[in-house]
Amino acid sequence: MKKNPMLTDYRVLDITQIVAGPTCTRILAEMGAEVVKLELAPFGDRTRVGGLRSNKPEHKRCSQSTYFIQHNHSKKSLALDFKSERARELIKAMIPKFDVLVENFSPGVMARAGLSYEELKAINPKLVMCSISLAGQQGELAQKPGYDYVAQAYAGITDLIGERDGEPALITMAIGDASTGVAAAMAVGFALLHRERTGEGQYIETSLLDTYFNMHEVAVPRVSLRKNHTPVRTGSQHPDGGPTGIFRCGDGSYLTLATLPHQWTAFVEALGQPGLLDDERFATAALRRDHNEELKEILEGWLAGFATRADAIAALERHRIPCAPVLTLREAMAHPHLRERGVVREVQDPYIGDFDIPGPPARFSAWPTGGPLRADLLGQHNEDVLKSLAGLDDDDIGQLYRDGVLVRDPLLGTPATANEKTEA
């Protein structure tokens, strides 16, 4: 007997765009929740014009993109003019039908729209509302505009990336955005569990800055306790040595290797250089850190003796040394392990074609993930959502189209009711 997904019968109103908020709601959707994505008219989520789009002439005005599909599949699209008072009235009318609301406007926007948590809580006391922002809802940075890279810089992350004598470097992918979305989804799940036990909804907030700062591994206590200590950039090597980092192989490729202090003897055995155990430069983990450059030179000299990277990795793995080839993205996407686990999944979109996207970050024994994925065109579920959740009829919906409160993708055609003239 096929089991329903774990969040079946939970309903989520998603008023988010770009990556962090959509990641949160996409995870909830994949877990079975009915997610209604409220997109802002006239263009919808800004990522609809990002990534790759259909190159077919007949799809020139299509609202679909690979960027949008990756972060918003499995949701229903409701496209409203959020600035319209009528649209905000509709949101309030639907709030009793929702278990969760997730938004990532700048702090204060929801309150100015009459949609603060306190106002919505009065309508639906069981509502779980989650706000996602750059730096939190209060504090001197709260009103600062920005995205992932801005939070990365404020968190002291950017300054630690790059070569020792070079400039700070950027992590050129939305690590903070995606991680904040995962944290928000986790928090929503916890809040729903709390609600199941107490009957109480609650307000959650998280930010990219909070998430990024939480990623610091060991440096924060070190800086706190040692008043004159300033971490330095160490390029492709871990600041604590190990050896841990990225190393060049004899065939010109690279591998990454991580050796913890308790693995030092096994590492020396793998290299077949027992004399390193008696070398005073490497007698302790702290000394190995201080002499990391010499250790790197020894390791790369050893790696140069192998015809291929695969041979070197096999020699290391015989001694249980954690290591891996530094794969290109294309190589990673083709790896059979990632394919078998669904870490790489295929989307079959009627407008763009077949392409790969990342799979979900967790697995559950009680509910297998997988199956075909879909992503709505802009406003594809306008009628369905407004009829079932707001109690509107065709005439009401037609008037909303004529007033410009509702919009939808041109490929969906114009609803017949929208063409009818309003009676005097």
Side-chain angles (χ1 to χ4, degrees):
M1 179 179 176
K2 186 177 180 180
K3 295 182 179 180
N4 287 327
M6 289 165 292
L7 293 184
T8 298
D9 296 331
Y10 286 92
R11 187 176 288 125
V12 179
L13 180 59
D14 172 2
I15 317 181
T16 71
Q17 53 185 343
I18 312 299
V19 178
T23 295
C24 169
T25 53
R26 187 198 73 234
I27 291 172
L28 300 177
E30 289 189 89
M31 295 302 104
E34 178 187 355
V35 177
V36 176
K37 182 177 178 67
L38 195 158
E39 301 192 60
L40 309 186
F43 305 113
D45 191 308
R46 296 180 186 277
T47 63
R48 284 192 177 275
V49 295
L52 301 178
R53 306 177 71 186
S54 173
N55 56 10
K56 298 178 181 178
E58 64 269 27
H59 298 157
K60 184 177 180 181
R61 298 172 64 193
C62 178
S63 60
Q64 212 73 300
S65 78
T66 54
Y67 199 145
F68 178 84
I69 292 171
Q70 176 175 332
H71 299 291
N72 294 283
H73 64 75
S74 307
K75 307 175 186 179
K76 296 179 177 180
S77 175
L78 168 65
L80 288 173
D81 178 6
F82 186 79
K83 296 179 181 179
S84 162
E85 181 61 32
R86 179 63 175 133
R88 296 195 289 270
E89 290 173 357
L90 287 170
I91 293 171
K92 287 183 178 180
M94 292 188 291
I95 281 298
K97 303 287 183 67
F98 284 96
D99 301 284
V100 178
L101 186 154
V102 184
E103 62 91 12
N104 67 347
F105 286 117
S106 295
V109 170
M110 289 291 281
R112 290 193 294 274
L115 299 171
S116 68
Y117 172 65
E118 292 303 321
E119 291 168 288
L120 298 181
K121 178 183 177 182
I123 301 172
N124 180 2
K126 291 187 175 183
L127 180 70
V128 171
M129 178 171 171
C130 178
S131 293
I132 300 172
S133 62
L134 172 74
Q137 300 297 304
Q138 298 86 30
E140 64 178 88
L141 297 178
Q143 295 300 321
K144 187 175 181 64
Y147 300 101
D148 188 299
Y149 305 152
V150 176
Q152 181 190 127
Y154 268 111
I157 297 287
T158 310
D159 183 61
L160 295 179
I161 302 168
E163 297 299 325
R164 182 184 295 272
D165 299 321
E167 299 176 347
L170 199 65
I171 304 174
T172 56
M173 57 191 69
I175 290 177
D177 272 324
S179 298
T180 302
V182 172
M186 174 190 72
V188 167
F190 290 165
L192 288 174
L193 177 60
H194 172 81
R195 192 184 76 173
E196 292 301 312
R197 290 175 169 174
T198 66
E200 300 172 345
Q202 63 179 295
Y203 180 66
I204 304 162
E205 66 124 327
T206 188
S207 78
L208 276 68
L209 179 53
D210 296 354
T211 303
Y212 257 125
F213 198 83
N214 189 60
M215 291 180 182
H216 282 290
E217 181 187 8
V218 296
V220 171
R222 204 172 276 171
V223 170
S224 177
L225 289 170
R226 300 174 181 174
K227 303 306 178 186
N228 296 320
H229 175 72
T230 301
V232 297
R233 295 186 287 277
T234 56
S236 65
Q237 300 300 298
H238 193 281
D240 288 338
T244 295
I246 299 171
F247 303 92
R248 185 179 178 88
C249 297
D251 59 4
S253 63
Y254 292 89
L255 63 75
T256 185
L257 177 148
T259 309
L260 297 183
H262 73 277
Q263 296 169 309
W264 171 244
T265 300
F267 173 76
V268 171
E269 291 174 351
L271 267 60
Q273 301 182 31
L276 294 176
L277 294 176
D278 300 320
D279 193 318
E280 294 182 357
R281 295 174 300 171
F282 311 129
T284 67
L287 286 170
R288 292 194 289 275
R289 177 198 64 208
D290 295 341
H291 294 277
N292 196 48
E293 285 302 316
E294 296 102 304
L295 200 50
K296 178 174 183 280
E297 185 176 343
I298 291 170
L299 174 55
E300 291 192 333
W302 178 78
L303 290 171
F306 291 89
T308 67
R309 177 174 62 185
D311 292 338
I313 289 175
L316 290 165
E317 288 183 337
R318 279 196 291 271
H319 294 269
R320 302 292 294 169
I321 303 301
C323 58
V326 176
L327 299 180
T328 65
L329 178 57
R330 186 173 296 279
E331 289 171 334
M333 290 168 61
H335 199 287
H337 180 81
L338 274 66
R339 288 283 176 180
E340 180 182 345
R341 285 177 54 79
V343 178
V344 182
R345 281 193 300 184
E346 186 179 72
V347 172
Q348 297 175 323
D349 184 75
Y351 306 101
I352 300 173
D354 300 348
F355 59 93
D356 292 330
I357 63 170
R363 307 290 184 275
F364 299 88
S365 64
W367 179 67
T369 57
L373 301 176
R374 60 156 185 82
D376 280 356
L377 294 173
L378 179 66
Q380 187 166 337
H381 275 85
N382 285 349
E383 289 77 8
D384 172 48
V385 170
L386 293 177
K387 287 180 180 179
S388 62
L389 303 183
L392 302 189
D393 59 23
D394 287 339
D395 291 339
D396 298 324
I397 293 171
Q399 189 62 52
L400 291 173
Y401 276 115
R402 291 191 292 274
D403 292 341
V405 177
L406 272 182
V407 296
R408 67 181 197 168
D409 189 291
L411 292 183
L412 295 171
T414 303
T417 51
N419 291 321
E420 298 170 2
K421 294 182 179 180
T422 305
E423 294 182 6

